[in-house]
Amino acid sequence: MISIKNLDCILLVDDDGIYNFLHKKLINTAGYENHIEIALNGKTALDYLNECYKNDHDENHPLPGLILLDINMPVMNGWEFIDAFNELDKDFTRDITIVMVSSSMDPDDVTKAQKIKILREFTSKPLTIKKIDHIFKTCLIRVV
């Protein structure tokens, strides 16, 4: 049987408040009314994940099943976040899907993203309902 992976939480990692507002609204409009956390850079996202791990992902820190990750952010960018994410406990992170969502039109970014195993997809901003449906149906499907 095929089902969409259970998502208690979605983590939006982007320093742009307008995109965060828009993407959160679109995710809800598309019918995915999950708990949505927002991190304004990779460091804040990593801190959130460490709190999930430390607190055994309680209701104040639900473990994200999906991370929508921007590339260009202050403090810690998307590439640096991925490096740090790879250092986390694999048992803890194995059920987290990461999709890169970026306004970068640099072909090198797309090529680099395609070479990173933990990235399920690279898509351009802004998200649309069609892109969100695609992410949920192709990146989060699992055989049960």
Side-chain angles (χ1 to χ4, degrees):
M1 180 163 83
I2 295 176
S3 70
I4 291 185
K5 179 170 76 170
N6 181 27
L7 283 179
D8 292 330
C9 178
I10 298 169
L11 179 59
L12 303 179
V13 186
D14 195 326
D15 63 319
D16 189 316
I18 294 171
Y19 278 125
N20 287 328
F21 176 81
L22 173 66
H23 292 164
K24 184 175 182 177
K25 187 94 167 141
L26 285 169
I27 289 166
N28 289 330
T29 300
Y32 304 104
E33 295 185 15
N34 305 75
H35 178 90
I36 299 174
E37 285 288 328
I38 295 173
L40 297 177
N41 59 61
K43 172 79 169 83
T44 306
L46 193 60
D47 290 345
Y48 179 82
L49 291 174
N50 283 321
E51 284 296 315
C52 290
Y53 184 76
K54 186 170 80 177
N55 294 306
D56 198 27
H57 39 62
D58 61 16
E59 69 258 3
N60 293 323
H61 298 92
L63 182 67
L66 174 64
I67 296 175
L68 299 176
L69 178 66
D70 187 24
I71 295 175
N72 298 310
M73 296 173 287
V75 183
M76 179 185 276
N77 68 35
W79 305 123
E80 294 165 330
F81 171 81
I82 289 169
D83 289 341
F85 183 89
N86 279 326
E87 297 300 316
L88 297 174
D89 181 334
K90 301 295 183 239
D91 287 333
F92 172 69
T93 62
R94 76 171 166 251
D95 291 328
I96 299 174
T97 298
I98 302 176
V99 173
M100 190 156 273
V101 181
S102 179
S103 57
S104 173
M105 301 306 275
D106 186 343
D108 290 340
D109 285 337
V110 176
T111 301
K112 184 175 181 177
Q114 290 171 339
K115 292 178 181 176
I116 298 173
K117 284 167 104 177
I118 64 166
L119 283 178
R120 289 295 305 271
E121 188 163 314
F122 183 101
T123 192
S124 62
K125 287 184 195 177
L127 288 176
T128 61
I129 289 179
K130 184 176 179 179
K131 287 180 185 178
I132 291 166
D133 281 340
H134 172 78
I135 288 167
F136 274 75
K137 291 176 181 158
T138 62
C139 298
L140 300 174
I141 295 221
R142 67 178 180 180
V143 177
V144 289

